Amino acid sequence: MSSDQRVRVGIDVGGTFTKAVAIDVKTGSIISKSTVPTTHSSEKGVSEGIIQTISEILNESKINIGDIELISHSTTQAINALLESDTSKVGIISMGVGPEKKEVIKRTNLQDAQINSEQDIQTCHTFLDTSHLISEEEVKDAIKELQNKGAKVIVATESFGVDDPSNELFVMKNAADLNLPSTASHEISGTYGLEIRTLTGAINASVLPKTFQVANFVEHAIQDVGINAPLMIMKGDGGVTSIDTFKTKPVLTILSGPAASVAGALLHLKITNGIFVEVGGTSTNICIIKNGKPEFQYVTIKDHPTCVRSMDVRILGVAGGSMVRLRDNRVWKVGPRSAHIAGLKYSCFAEPEELKNGKITTIKPKENDEEYVAIECESGLYAITNTCAANALGMIEKNDYAFANQESAKIAIELLAKQLGVTFIEIAQSIIQTSSFEIMKTISKIIKEFKLNPDTTQLIGGGGGASTLVPFVAKQLQLQYKKAQHAEIISSIGVASSMLQEEIEQTLINPTPELINQAHKKIHAIMISKGAVPESIVIDSQYIPDRSILRLTAVGNVELDSAETTKNVFTLSEAKRRASEIMQISEELTDLSFESDHYLVFAGHVTEKRLFSKKHRHPLLVLDRFGKMKKYLKNGKIFQGGKISILEELDDFLESRNNDVAPQVYLINDLKLIDYSSLTSSSHILNAVKQELDENERASILIEL
């Protein structure tokens, strides 16, 4: 191996397997990969499996440890802790001025059934009056009061704490002095809404002790191997961030596992429109990809709304390793318990001789489980899974990751068929059909929800269990099907290839150019603090008028040229083709109007016939270099050139409108896409554009007509 080789390692910690991949940054090629069972029951948890995969990669590839520039991993620890109620009691310190006391307590006391209906987030509460300067003694007394009620972690929350977080930070400092982990509501979200900030803060705090322990295990284990590269973690929005974020804001990593697989699909498959279905061993993740990017939503956890945005991923408890349940002598359900979590081997991976004298039995893998089918053999218990049924039916090709011993699979299914008095084909088909039903129902709902055309919608299969279920689902729904290249490690590839990404939302009731500029500087500083190279940081902004929220998203690289290889960058012809697909205009009527280091702006030319006339329309579409749609205007105008000409053209256009309401205006330069739709006066827009052009003259202005 050459000493100048640059390597990234991506690790996906799934419910069944932990998978790692080493990627050559310069070529985008896979150097090595490794898969081991996820070590849930190990003393040091999943970190043991992470180290096993890294060690296997190092031994197989002979990579020089010094050539590894970054290790990124996804995790299910935060969501699993919440779903399994492996949480700590949260002490909430709410703050406000005296007259607000009753209202603040009502909005922050999560013992109120209206806010915390299931009472599954265990909390206790106290109030501090901030009409005077609160003292260290007051804060520490409040913390000790909550400790006496059983609190293991603190949440500080105050009305308008997003505008002035000094009191929340003061509470956090005192909690740290008493060796208690803490969360401040302003750190979770910059938007108004005391209840949802407090609830999200409490959800985050409840898993802090658990995730802090896991993060330390992983950090120390990697250091023990001798790797000094930065350690990153995947977030639910598809970006990576520092491991310190996992220690303080684990709620941001909710759905990081599903996000990793979607990121891999987007980066390596260049999908414009489709539904990505990743089938693992324990769960199936389904995500819509529309116009080259995933849909996003605010995450709901166990019926609790939060102010955390993540990819819109539908998670189903059925997958390649799901076990069979019977009722009334027939296959009733498949899953959610998987063979790996039950501690059983798949019968299709056993030797035929081991199964021939086996007997069908039922077991409860976990104390509160219902009964699942298993085969009792001399050598132990074996599970009957979807993978077994698919192999028995000959659905899996020989070179597929899910391919197993088909003779063993048939023996296992025949044992169950004999017990139920039917043929093995009937049982195997029943298992696959039962498993696929929920997937088909979810995909049909997505097609209807996003108004997709079934004739052009493609299902993309990912994950090691893709071939067990997705082709069958596609056939039943009469949809096109394509299996992702490297399907079994697509999530690990996604983790290894992802960029640093941060998103903030800020309430702006009266936006000004200065406030927008301050928000851009704030997220830029956050990115640098996470390890991003300043020259690599790209910022997109979007104003949401009905909520008075400015949303900023920033992406950047840890190394200036390492986050994406040329393999993932769209060529001009690929970008034009995608623009044509999104705008639904032929490529002949699509032109490149502006190009910067990070953005491409395409203009379409549409002629719409009227009864006695024709109307010309010019849609504008902004793509980034990786084919993601950033902005679409159904009809727009573009100004570009030097600073003086842009300002003159913009000024003339605004004056010519004879309209007091300012139009939707967007500025694009090398590293920013700025949404000025929050500015309602023409003078404010001109002032804001001038400020940006003073810093970078290479820009274009887009106006929605």
Side-chain angles (χ1 to χ4, degrees), residues 397-419:
E397 294 180 3
K398 204 165 189 175
N399 59 350
D400 195 277
Y401 185 80
F403 183 77
N405 189 316
Q406 296 194 345
E407 184 185 349
S408 297
K410 286 179 181 177
I411 292 171
I413 300 296
E414 281 171 348
L415 286 171
L416 181 57
K418 187 177 179 181
Q419 174 101 351

Side-chain angles (χ1 to χ4, degrees), residues 69-87:
E69 68 177 32
L70 190 71
I71 294 180
S72 304
H73 79 288
S74 67
T75 178
T76 57
Q77 292 300 298
I79 188 66
N80 286 351
L82 288 164
L83 293 177
E84 295 166 12
S85 297
D86 187 8
T87 53

